[in-house]
Amino acid sequence: DIQMTQSPSTLSASVGDRVTITCRASQSISAWLAWYQQKPGKAPNLLIFKASSLESGVPSRFSGSGYGTEFTLTISSLQPDDFATYYCQQYNSYPLTFGQGTRLEIK
Amino acid sequence: QVQLVESGGGVVQPGTSLRLPCAASGFIFSSFATHWVRQAPGKGLEWVAAISSDGSDKYYRDSVKGRFTISRDNSKDTLYLQMNSLRGEDTAVYFCVRGSVAARQYFDFWGQGALVTVSS
């Protein structure tokens, strides 16, 4: 199974900050990586697919990059609505696996 | 608009069974692979099972193989998860999820989830 490791587990930031979350795969997954945002009590929402492709309707302040085993999600200028938990997911092979999540909280 | 609506959740005893249906609407259900993803209380996301658009291919995580069965009825636009021999560690919110169009599957639409609690 491909293990996905996110860092940090918790991130404290302020509105307007630029933040980056890292996701590492235990083996190469090419660009087969997605990012999701989840708010408490809600289903996750797709942000990014194929490592860097922005899902329709997602604000352009979200961006993704990476290839192989190391990936990043960047939020260029944090908005109040962005405080949530973020998950990466590899879809290179079954079983599909997620990172453990990064909780983005208000400083 | 795309909608996925799970039902059938509840409290069950260890060792018993439960079936979760997921009703799909707003898209051509028979054209998309679909998945179940679960989330234990306060924990992260865990993929459970997948089924191809025509139902011919199925995939499971190891911990549910032999106990859970994913199936679909394309005439009813409905996905199912039959869960047998339930354990405490199966307690979670179960999300019905649409897979992306491409062969490699990320998740582009999610249901609201159904809570399954396994407890004596």
Side-chain angles (χ1 to χ4, degrees):
Chain A
D1 298 4
I2 299 174
Q3 288 196 326
M4 306 301 294
T5 304
Q6 286 181 234
S7 60
S9 295
T10 306
L11 180 57
S12 297
S14 302
V15 172
D17 284 354
R18 178 184 180 90
V19 298
T20 297
I21 299 168
T22 297
C23 179
R24 290 186 172 86
S26 60
Q27 64 189 75
S28 177
I29 58 170
S30 299
W32 306 117
L33 185 99
W35 289 96
Y36 303 87
Q37 176 193 69
Q38 187 180 32
K39 296 181 180 178
K42 301 293 187 182
N45 184 51
L46 175 67
L47 300 174
I48 301 281
F49 62 95
K50 209 172 179 184
S52 60
S53 296
L54 193 68
E55 173 70 350
S56 176
V58 174
S60 59
R61 63 182 179 272
F62 291 92
S63 64
S65 65
Y67 188 88
T69 62
E70 187 149 339
F71 302 86
T72 59
L73 173 70
T74 299
I75 309 173
S76 60
S77 178
L78 273 174
Q79 299 302 301
D81 192 49
D82 300 338
F83 292 95
T85 300
Y86 292 84
Y87 294 93
C88 61
Q89 177 235 333
Q90 68 81 17
Y91 55 103
N92 180 73
S93 61
Y94 286 102
L96 306 179
T97 48
F98 292 88
Q100 80 279 15
T102 294
R103 183 182 167 206
L104 179 54
E105 58 183 32
I106 301 173
K107 185 184 286 185
Chain B
Q1 72 280 22
V2 173
Q3 282 199 314
L4 297 161
V5 180
E6 305 92 339
S7 58
V11 181
V12 296
Q13 292 193 332
T16 61
S17 299
L18 196 64
R19 189 177 80 154
L20 300 181
C22 169
S25 61
F27 66 103
I28 302 172
F29 181 68
S30 59
S31 295
F32 290 83
T34 45
H35 304 250
W36 291 96
V37 174
R38 67 185 180 184
Q39 187 168 36
K43 301 297 184 183
L45 300 168
E46 183 174 82
W47 172 82
V48 175
I51 186 167
S52 59
S53 58
D54 64 359
S56 60
D57 294 314
K58 301 178 184 181
Y59 305 88
Y60 300 92
R61 66 179 303 102
D62 283 349
S63 61
V64 308
K65 277 180 189 173
R67 299 189 301 123
F68 289 14
T69 301
I70 189 171
S71 62
R72 64 192 296 157
D73 186 338
N74 284 346
S75 69
K76 295 182 179 179
D77 291 346
T78 303
L79 174 71
Y80 301 97
L81 185 67
Q82 176 68 43
M83 302 183 290
N84 298 331
S85 303
L86 282 160
R87 305 168 180 167
E89 55 264 37
D90 297 319
T91 294
V93 173
Y94 285 74
F95 295 102
C96 168
V97 189
R98 192 181 84 168
S100 51
V101 172
R104 283 188 162 88
Q105 297 281 287
Y106 58 89
F107 308 127
D108 60 1
F109 285 96
W110 298 62
Q112 84 288 352
L115 176 61
V116 174
T117 302
V118 183
S119 175
S120 55

